[in-house]
PDB file of all heavy atoms in Angstrom:
ATOM      1  N   ARG A   1      -3.538  -9.908  -6.436  1.00  0.00           N
ATOM      2  CA  ARG A   1      -2.166 -10.134  -6.874  1.00  0.00           C
ATOM      3  C   ARG A   1      -1.202  -9.020  -6.483  1.00  0.00           C
ATOM      4  O   ARG A   1       0.000  -9.154  -6.711  1.00  0.00           O
ATOM      5  CB  ARG A   1      -2.120 -10.329  -8.394  1.00  0.00           C
ATOM      6  CG  ARG A   1      -2.384  -9.067  -9.193  1.00  0.00           C
ATOM      7  CD  ARG A   1      -2.483  -9.315 -10.692  1.00  0.00           C
ATOM      8  NE  ARG A   1      -2.562  -8.077 -11.449  1.00  0.00           N
ATOM      9  CZ  ARG A   1      -3.662  -7.334 -11.575  1.00  0.00           C
ATOM     10  NH1 ARG A   1      -4.788  -7.722 -10.986  1.00  0.00           N
ATOM     11  NH2 ARG A   1      -3.640  -6.231 -12.279  1.00  0.00           N
ATOM     12  N   GLN A   2      -1.707  -7.933  -5.942  1.00  0.00           N
ATOM     13  CA  GLN A   2      -0.850  -6.800  -5.614  1.00  0.00           C
ATOM     14  C   GLN A   2      -0.728  -6.654  -4.106  1.00  0.00           C
ATOM     15  O   GLN A   2      -1.659  -6.997  -3.367  1.00  0.00           O
ATOM     16  CB  GLN A   2      -1.407  -5.519  -6.246  1.00  0.00           C
ATOM     17  CG  GLN A   2      -1.517  -5.625  -7.768  1.00  0.00           C
ATOM     18  CD  GLN A   2      -2.075  -4.379  -8.428  1.00  0.00           C
ATOM     19  OE1 GLN A   2      -2.132  -3.316  -7.819  1.00  0.00           O
ATOM     20  NE2 GLN A   2      -2.491  -4.504  -9.676  1.00  0.00           N
ATOM     21  N   GLN A   3       0.391  -6.132  -3.657  1.00  0.00           N
ATOM     22  CA  GLN A   3       0.703  -6.117  -2.223  1.00  0.00           C
ATOM     23  C   GLN A   3       0.092  -4.916  -1.496  1.00  0.00           C
ATOM     24  O   GLN A   3       0.782  -4.055  -0.944  1.00  0.00           O
ATOM     25  CB  GLN A   3       2.213  -6.163  -2.033  1.00  0.00           C
ATOM     26  CG  GLN A   3       2.838  -7.465  -2.487  1.00  0.00           C
ATOM     27  CD  GLN A   3       2.331  -8.659  -1.711  1.00  0.00           C
ATOM     28  OE1 GLN A   3       2.086  -8.573  -0.509  1.00  0.00           O
ATOM     29  NE2 GLN A   3       2.136  -9.784  -2.389  1.00  0.00           N
ATOM     30  N   TYR A   4      -1.254  -4.919  -1.512  1.00  0.00           N
ATOM     31  CA  TYR A   4      -2.006  -3.882  -0.809  1.00  0.00           C
ATOM     32  C   TYR A   4      -3.040  -4.534   0.090  1.00  0.00           C
ATOM     33  O   TYR A   4      -3.299  -5.738  -0.002  1.00  0.00           O
ATOM     34  CB  TYR A   4      -2.676  -2.933  -1.819  1.00  0.00           C
ATOM     35  CG  TYR A   4      -1.684  -2.255  -2.722  1.00  0.00           C
ATOM     36  CD1 TYR A   4      -1.551  -2.625  -4.057  1.00  0.00           C
ATOM     37  CD2 TYR A   4      -0.850  -1.260  -2.227  1.00  0.00           C
ATOM     38  CE1 TYR A   4      -0.605  -2.028  -4.885  1.00  0.00           C
ATOM     39  CE2 TYR A   4       0.096  -0.655  -3.044  1.00  0.00           C
ATOM     40  CZ  TYR A   4       0.216  -1.042  -4.367  1.00  0.00           C
ATOM     41  OH  TYR A   4       1.153  -0.455  -5.160  1.00  0.00           O
ATOM     42  N   LYS A   5      -3.645  -3.722   0.930  1.00  0.00           N
ATOM     43  CA  LYS A   5      -4.637  -4.212   1.893  1.00  0.00           C
ATOM     44  C   LYS A   5      -6.007  -3.646   1.541  1.00  0.00           C
ATOM     45  O   LYS A   5      -6.111  -2.577   0.915  1.00  0.00           O
ATOM     46  CB  LYS A   5      -4.242  -3.770   3.305  1.00  0.00           C
ATOM     47  CG  LYS A   5      -2.830  -4.143   3.710  1.00  0.00           C
ATOM     48  CD  LYS A   5      -2.441  -3.443   5.004  1.00  0.00           C
ATOM     49  CE  LYS A   5      -0.972  -3.642   5.315  1.00  0.00           C
ATOM     50  NZ  LYS A   5      -0.544  -2.898   6.522  1.00  0.00           N
ATOM     51  N   ALA A   6      -7.046  -4.346   1.968  1.00  0.00           N
ATOM     52  CA  ALA A   6      -8.409  -3.906   1.677  1.00  0.00           C
ATOM     53  C   ALA A   6      -8.652  -2.489   2.199  1.00  0.00           C
ATOM     54  O   ALA A   6      -9.344  -1.691   1.555  1.00  0.00           O
ATOM     55  CB  ALA A   6      -9.423  -4.882   2.286  1.00  0.00           C
ATOM     56  N   GLU A   7      -8.069  -2.168   3.330  1.00  0.00           N
ATOM     57  CA  GLU A   7      -8.282  -0.843   3.924  1.00  0.00           C
ATOM     58  C   GLU A   7      -7.597   0.266   3.121  1.00  0.00           C
ATOM     59  O   GLU A   7      -7.842   1.450   3.371  1.00  0.00           O
ATOM     60  CB  GLU A   7      -7.765  -0.837   5.358  1.00  0.00           C
ATOM     61  CG  GLU A   7      -6.265  -1.008   5.460  1.00  0.00           C
ATOM     62  CD  GLU A   7      -5.780  -1.196   6.885  1.00  0.00           C
ATOM     63  OE1 GLU A   7      -6.546  -1.716   7.709  1.00  0.00           O
ATOM     64  OE2 GLU A   7      -4.624  -0.823   7.159  1.00  0.00           O
ATOM     65  N   GLN A   8      -6.750  -0.113   2.152  1.00  0.00           N
ATOM     66  CA  GLN A   8      -6.038   0.891   1.345  1.00  0.00           C
ATOM     67  C   GLN A   8      -6.726   1.189   0.015  1.00  0.00           C
ATOM     68  O   GLN A   8      -6.217   1.994  -0.764  1.00  0.00           O
ATOM     69  CB  GLN A   8      -4.609   0.423   1.088  1.00  0.00           C
ATOM     70  CG  GLN A   8      -3.752   0.376   2.353  1.00  0.00           C
ATOM     71  CD  GLN A   8      -2.366  -0.168   2.099  1.00  0.00           C
ATOM     72  OE1 GLN A   8      -2.196  -1.157   1.381  1.00  0.00           O
ATOM     73  NE2 GLN A   8      -1.365   0.477   2.668  1.00  0.00           N
ATOM     74  N   ILE A   9      -7.861   0.576  -0.239  1.00  0.00           N
ATOM     75  CA  ILE A   9      -8.604   0.850  -1.473  1.00  0.00           C
ATOM     76  C   ILE A   9      -8.896   2.352  -1.577  1.00  0.00           C
ATOM     77  O   ILE A   9      -9.343   2.978  -0.622  1.00  0.00           O
ATOM     78  CB  ILE A   9      -9.920   0.044  -1.514  1.00  0.00           C
ATOM     79  CG1 ILE A   9      -9.604  -1.444  -1.696  1.00  0.00           C
ATOM     80  CG2 ILE A   9     -10.825   0.521  -2.651  1.00  0.00           C
ATOM     81  CD1 ILE A   9     -10.832  -2.334  -1.578  1.00  0.00           C
ATOM     82  N   GLY A  10      -8.620   2.916  -2.724  1.00  0.00           N
ATOM     83  CA  GLY A  10      -8.845   4.342  -2.953  1.00  0.00           C
ATOM     84  C   GLY A  10      -7.617   5.208  -2.750  1.00  0.00           C
ATOM     85  O   GLY A  10      -7.595   6.363  -3.194  1.00  0.00           O
ATOM     86  N   LYS A  11      -6.581   4.669  -2.108  1.00  0.00           N
ATOM     87  CA  LYS A  11      -5.354   5.437  -1.928  1.00  0.00           C
ATOM     88  C   LYS A  11      -4.492   5.325  -3.179  1.00  0.00           C
ATOM     89  O   LYS A  11      -4.541   4.335  -3.908  1.00  0.00           O
ATOM     90  CB  LYS A  11      -4.545   4.894  -0.735  1.00  0.00           C
ATOM     91  CG  LYS A  11      -5.144   5.198   0.620  1.00  0.00           C
ATOM     92  CD  LYS A  11      -4.191   4.763   1.724  1.00  0.00           C
ATOM     93  CE  LYS A  11      -4.735   5.156   3.094  1.00  0.00           C
ATOM     94  NZ  LYS A  11      -3.802   4.783   4.184  1.00  0.00           N
ATOM     95  N   PHE A  12      -3.685   6.345  -3.424  1.00  0.00           N
ATOM     96  CA  PHE A  12      -2.693   6.230  -4.482  1.00  0.00           C
ATOM     97  C   PHE A  12      -1.747   5.086  -4.133  1.00  0.00           C
ATOM     98  O   PHE A  12      -1.373   4.895  -2.964  1.00  0.00           O
ATOM     99  CB  PHE A  12      -1.914   7.534  -4.644  1.00  0.00           C
ATOM    100  CG  PHE A  12      -2.668   8.608  -5.373  1.00  0.00           C
ATOM    101  CD1 PHE A  12      -3.131   9.725  -4.690  1.00  0.00           C
ATOM    102  CD2 PHE A  12      -2.924   8.494  -6.734  1.00  0.00           C
ATOM    103  CE1 PHE A  12      -3.834  10.721  -5.366  1.00  0.00           C
ATOM    104  CE2 PHE A  12      -3.625   9.486  -7.419  1.00  0.00           C
ATOM    105  CZ  PHE A  12      -4.087  10.598  -6.735  1.00  0.00           C
ATOM    106  N   LYS A  13      -1.352   4.335  -5.155  1.00  0.00           N
ATOM    107  CA  LYS A  13      -0.473   3.195  -4.910  1.00  0.00           C
ATOM    108  C   LYS A  13       0.864   3.633  -4.337  1.00  0.00           C
ATOM    109  O   LYS A  13       1.465   2.913  -3.522  1.00  0.00           O
ATOM    110  CB  LYS A  13      -0.280   2.396  -6.198  1.00  0.00           C
ATOM    111  CG  LYS A  13      -1.536   1.634  -6.611  1.00  0.00           C
ATOM    112  CD  LYS A  13      -1.324   0.821  -7.877  1.00  0.00           C
ATOM    113  CE  LYS A  13      -2.606   0.069  -8.236  1.00  0.00           C
ATOM    114  NZ  LYS A  13      -2.449  -0.725  -9.488  1.00  0.00           N
ATOM    115  N   THR A  14       1.355   4.777  -4.745  1.00  0.00           N
ATOM    116  CA  THR A  14       2.603   5.285  -4.175  1.00  0.00           C
ATOM    117  C   THR A  14       2.480   5.464  -2.664  1.00  0.00           C
ATOM    118  O   THR A  14       3.382   5.115  -1.908  1.00  0.00           O
ATOM    119  CB  THR A  14       2.985   6.619  -4.822  1.00  0.00           C
ATOM    120  OG1 THR A  14       1.840   7.491  -4.846  1.00  0.00           O
ATOM    121  CG2 THR A  14       3.486   6.421  -6.246  1.00  0.00           C
ATOM    122  N   GLU A  15       1.345   6.003  -2.235  1.00  0.00           N
ATOM    123  CA  GLU A  15       1.126   6.235  -0.805  1.00  0.00           C
ATOM    124  C   GLU A  15       0.944   4.914  -0.059  1.00  0.00           C
ATOM    125  O   GLU A  15       1.542   4.687   1.003  1.00  0.00           O
ATOM    126  CB  GLU A  15      -0.112   7.119  -0.619  1.00  0.00           C
ATOM    127  CG  GLU A  15      -0.495   7.372   0.833  1.00  0.00           C
ATOM    128  CD  GLU A  15      -1.805   8.126   0.988  1.00  0.00           C
ATOM    129  OE1 GLU A  15      -2.372   8.562  -0.040  1.00  0.00           O
ATOM    130  OE2 GLU A  15      -2.271   8.279   2.133  1.00  0.00           O
ATOM    131  N   ALA A  16       0.102   4.034  -0.618  1.00  0.00           N
ATOM    132  CA  ALA A  16      -0.200   2.770   0.051  1.00  0.00           C
ATOM    133  C   ALA A  16       1.039   1.881   0.152  1.00  0.00           C
ATOM    134  O   ALA A  16       1.319   1.285   1.204  1.00  0.00           O
ATOM    135  CB  ALA A  16      -1.321   2.048  -0.690  1.00  0.00           C
ATOM    136  N   LEU A  17       1.802   1.783  -0.941  1.00  0.00           N
ATOM    137  CA  LEU A  17       2.985   0.927  -0.901  1.00  0.00           C
ATOM    138  C   LEU A  17       4.033   1.498   0.038  1.00  0.00           C
ATOM    139  O   LEU A  17       4.728   0.743   0.737  1.00  0.00           O
ATOM    140  CB  LEU A  17       3.556   0.755  -2.311  1.00  0.00           C
ATOM    141  CG  LEU A  17       4.695  -0.253  -2.439  1.00  0.00           C
ATOM    142  CD1 LEU A  17       4.264  -1.636  -1.954  1.00  0.00           C
ATOM    143  CD2 LEU A  17       5.192  -0.332  -3.876  1.00  0.00           C
ATOM    144  N   SER A  18       4.161   2.814   0.083  1.00  0.00           N
ATOM    145  CA  SER A  18       5.091   3.431   1.029  1.00  0.00           C
ATOM    146  C   SER A  18       4.739   3.055   2.459  1.00  0.00           C
ATOM    147  O   SER A  18       5.626   2.748   3.273  1.00  0.00           O
ATOM    148  CB  SER A  18       5.078   4.957   0.866  1.00  0.00           C
ATOM    149  OG  SER A  18       5.617   5.341  -0.377  1.00  0.00           O
ATOM    150  N   GLU A  19       3.451   3.085   2.781  1.00  0.00           N
ATOM    151  CA  GLU A  19       3.014   2.693   4.124  1.00  0.00           C
ATOM    152  C   GLU A  19       3.453   1.264   4.441  1.00  0.00           C
ATOM    153  O   GLU A  19       3.978   0.974   5.528  1.00  0.00           O
ATOM    154  CB  GLU A  19       1.489   2.787   4.233  1.00  0.00           C
ATOM    155  CG  GLU A  19       0.941   4.195   4.192  1.00  0.00           C
ATOM    156  CD  GLU A  19      -0.583   4.217   4.186  1.00  0.00           C
ATOM    157  OE1 GLU A  19      -1.195   3.122   4.104  1.00  0.00           O
ATOM    158  OE2 GLU A  19      -1.154   5.319   4.244  1.00  0.00           O
ATOM    159  N   ASN A  20       3.246   0.372   3.478  1.00  0.00           N
ATOM    160  CA  ASN A  20       3.567  -1.036   3.708  1.00  0.00           C
ATOM    161  C   ASN A  20       5.071  -1.264   3.801  1.00  0.00           C
ATOM    162  O   ASN A  20       5.543  -2.058   4.622  1.00  0.00           O
ATOM    163  CB  ASN A  20       2.965  -1.886   2.588  1.00  0.00           C
ATOM    164  CG  ASN A  20       1.449  -1.801   2.565  1.00  0.00           C
ATOM    165  OD1 ASN A  20       0.821  -1.394   3.538  1.00  0.00           O
ATOM    166  ND2 ASN A  20       0.855  -2.168   1.441  1.00  0.00           N
ATOM    167  N   LEU A  21       5.823  -0.568   2.963  1.00  0.00           N
ATOM    168  CA  LEU A  21       7.274  -0.731   2.990  1.00  0.00           C
ATOM    169  C   LEU A  21       7.882  -0.198   4.282  1.00  0.00           C
ATOM    170  O   LEU A  21       8.865  -0.745   4.784  1.00  0.00           O
ATOM    171  CB  LEU A  21       7.899  -0.030   1.785  1.00  0.00           C
ATOM    172  CG  LEU A  21       7.629  -0.673   0.422  1.00  0.00           C
ATOM    173  CD1 LEU A  21       8.175   0.214  -0.693  1.00  0.00           C
ATOM    174  CD2 LEU A  21       8.244  -2.056   0.340  1.00  0.00           C
ATOM    175  N   LYS A  22       7.309   0.854   4.823  1.00  0.00           N
ATOM    176  CA  LYS A  22       7.822   1.410   6.076  1.00  0.00           C
ATOM    177  C   LYS A  22       7.609   0.442   7.228  1.00  0.00           C
ATOM    178  O   LYS A  22       8.378   0.440   8.201  1.00  0.00           O
ATOM    179  CB  LYS A  22       7.158   2.761   6.371  1.00  0.00           C
ATOM    180  CG  LYS A  22       7.666   3.876   5.460  1.00  0.00           C
ATOM    181  CD  LYS A  22       6.890   5.170   5.651  1.00  0.00           C
ATOM    182  CE  LYS A  22       7.368   6.237   4.680  1.00  0.00           C
ATOM    183  NZ  LYS A  22       6.561   7.483   4.781  1.00  0.00           N
ATOM    184  N   GLU A  23       6.582  -0.385   7.138  1.00  0.00           N
ATOM    185  CA  GLU A  23       6.370  -1.416   8.145  1.00  0.00           C
ATOM    186  C   GLU A  23       7.356  -2.568   7.965  1.00  0.00           C
ATOM    187  O   GLU A  23       7.834  -3.153   8.930  1.00  0.00           O
ATOM    188  CB  GLU A  23       4.939  -1.962   8.056  1.00  0.00           C
ATOM    189  CG  GLU A  23       3.864  -0.969   8.434  1.00  0.00           C
ATOM    190  CD  GLU A  23       2.465  -1.561   8.293  1.00  0.00           C
ATOM    191  OE1 GLU A  23       2.360  -2.760   7.955  1.00  0.00           O
ATOM    192  OE2 GLU A  23       1.493  -0.827   8.511  1.00  0.00           O
ATOM    193  N   ILE A  24       7.654  -2.896   6.716  1.00  0.00           N
ATOM    194  CA  ILE A  24       8.503  -4.041   6.406  1.00  0.00           C
ATOM    195  C   ILE A  24       9.981  -3.717   6.575  1.00  0.00           C
ATOM    196  O   ILE A  24      10.745  -4.506   7.142  1.00  0.00           O
ATOM    197  CB  ILE A  24       8.235  -4.513   4.960  1.00  0.00           C
ATOM    198  CG1 ILE A  24       6.827  -5.105   4.856  1.00  0.00           C
ATOM    199  CG2 ILE A  24       9.283  -5.521   4.494  1.00  0.00           C
ATOM    200  CD1 ILE A  24       6.372  -5.323   3.433  1.00  0.00           C
ATOM    201  N   ALA A  25      10.392  -2.575   6.053  1.00  0.00           N
ATOM    202  CA  ALA A  25      11.811  -2.190   6.048  1.00  0.00           C
ATOM    203  C   ALA A  25      11.922  -0.715   6.412  1.00  0.00           C
ATOM    204  O   ALA A  25      12.026   0.147   5.532  1.00  0.00           O
ATOM    205  CB  ALA A  25      12.428  -2.455   4.676  1.00  0.00           C
TER     206      ALA A  25
END
């Protein structure tokens, strides 16, 4: 239900979401 990827398991959510947002916007 959360907007993360399997390869991001173990990362802080702040770090992982930042990565995804930088790709999107």
Side-chain angles (χ1 to χ4, degrees):
R1 71 186 187 282
Q2 301 180 15
Q3 294 298 323
Y4 301 106
K5 307 169 188 176
E7 66 188 28
Q8 293 177 317
I9 290 173
K11 288 187 176 182
F12 283 109
K13 289 181 179 179
T14 48
E15 177 186 354
L17 187 58
S18 293
E19 291 175 354
N20 297 342
L21 290 174
K22 287 173 183 176
E23 293 179 3
I24 292 168

